[in-house]
Amino acid sequence: MTTPDLTELLADSPSNWGKWGTDDEVGSLNYLTPEQVLGGVGLIRKGALFTLQRLIGDPAGDPVWPGRSPATREMILDESHWDEGGDGPAFPGGLHYADDKINAFLQGSTQYDALGHVWYDGQIYNGYDARTTVGGLDKASVEPIAQRGVAGRAVLLDMARFRDVNHLAAGETFDHTDLEKCAAAQGIEIKPRDILLIRTNHLALFFQDSEGFYGDFCEPGLVYSPELVQWFQNMEIPNLVTDTIANEITTDPHNGVALVLHNALMRNLGIAFTEICDLEKLAEDCATDGVYEFFYVAAPLKIHRASGSPVNPVVIK
Ligand code: UVW
């Protein structure tokens, strides 16, 4: 099999470039109008909150994309600095305090990707020149998403439960028709402009055996087809949220190309990607009360020119 270029593979793929203006940097999040936000708020029934961020510095390990390293946290000041001969600063009244800092990949935990995070053919989302990424993203960085915020009606599609497994296996794929079947089995309908949360529980394998997890690394997930991309376009999906590191099958089994949907959905349609979420408590609750639609709200950190940012999305049911 000859692996095609993304340029060739996605030559006829739909695009939203220019749809929200030549200066747009938030893409399909534009679908999340005040009506959508209120529609999501209207789903709040029992006041239950679910935070979807994974723990940064988890003693059990931080799952990250190969080549990235987990965040490290360094203690700068603690009580030991006020020990005999210590360098703790002296404040009037005897104040002591703790300070620490982290060194982290901005894509190394639960995160929003900036729309300019990936590209091919020398252009990022909305046709901006890929040279605008040099030294930091001058266009389509995570900052406009952070300034805007994300809120709306969301649905959980529990693919692991739908397939009656604890977790999806490496390399396992599904597509939009499977999402619709999963929704139907859960008694819901995916509506236009829904934020999609997809559970695979694949990272359970990372927490069982982190070294084995990276051998022949190929996460399960959505797999490219022209029909799937058209479905996302027709459904005006604003945000794809999953519990895997990269939201899609790592290497497409049909053509050998890596991260096709990052390009077809994020670069071309401007769909925001939220990755490495922990959907376990939410999924358990949905299975218990049978309610798979809810209010979702998130805002990544406002980091100038960044290609992504950590986030702790919140679901309210
Ligand atoms: C890459 O794009 C390589 O990774 P991610 O979107 O998972 O941060």
Side-chain angles (χ1 to χ4, degrees), residues 65-66 68 106-108 111 113 117-118 219 244-248 259 262 266 273 275-276 307:
W65 178 258
R68 294 182 187 142
L106 291 173
Q107 319 270 354
Q111 106 239 200
D113 283 344
H117 171 49
V118 297
E219 290 195 297
T244 60
I245 296 172
N247 273 14
E248 60 172 304
L259 301 190
H262 270 62
M266 187 198 301
F273 274 31
E275 299 167 322
I276 324 184
S307 63

Side-chain angles (χ1 to χ4, degrees), residues 28-45 112 145 147-154 191-195 236 238-239 293-299 314-317:
S28 293
L29 293 177
N30 282 295
Y31 291 133
L32 294 177
T33 58
E35 290 68 36
Q36 285 304 120
V37 176
L38 293 173
V41 170
L43 294 172
I44 299 175
R45 294 278 183 271
Y112 266 84
I145 296 178
Q147 296 286 1
R148 184 193 190 284
V150 182
R153 193 190 116 92
K191 295 192 177 155
R193 303 194 172 188
D194 273 355
I195 296 166
E236 302 187 335
N239 192 175
E293 46 195 7
F294 36 72
F295 182 55
Y296 170 100
V297 61
V314 177
V315 160
I316 312 178
K317 289 180 75 180

Side-chain angles (χ1 to χ4, degrees), residues 1 3-6 9 249-260:
M1 172 173 70
T3 305
D5 284 343
L6 283 161
L9 185 67
I249 184 88
T250 309
T251 308
D252 188 322
H254 305 126
N255 51 46
V257 179
L259 301 190
V260 180

Side-chain angles (χ1 to χ4, degrees), residues 46-65:
K46 59 182 187 180
L49 265 68
F50 301 87
T51 58
L52 307 186
Q53 190 204 339
R54 286 204 168 272
L55 185 63
I56 294 177
D58 190 337
D62 292 10
V64 290
W65 178 258

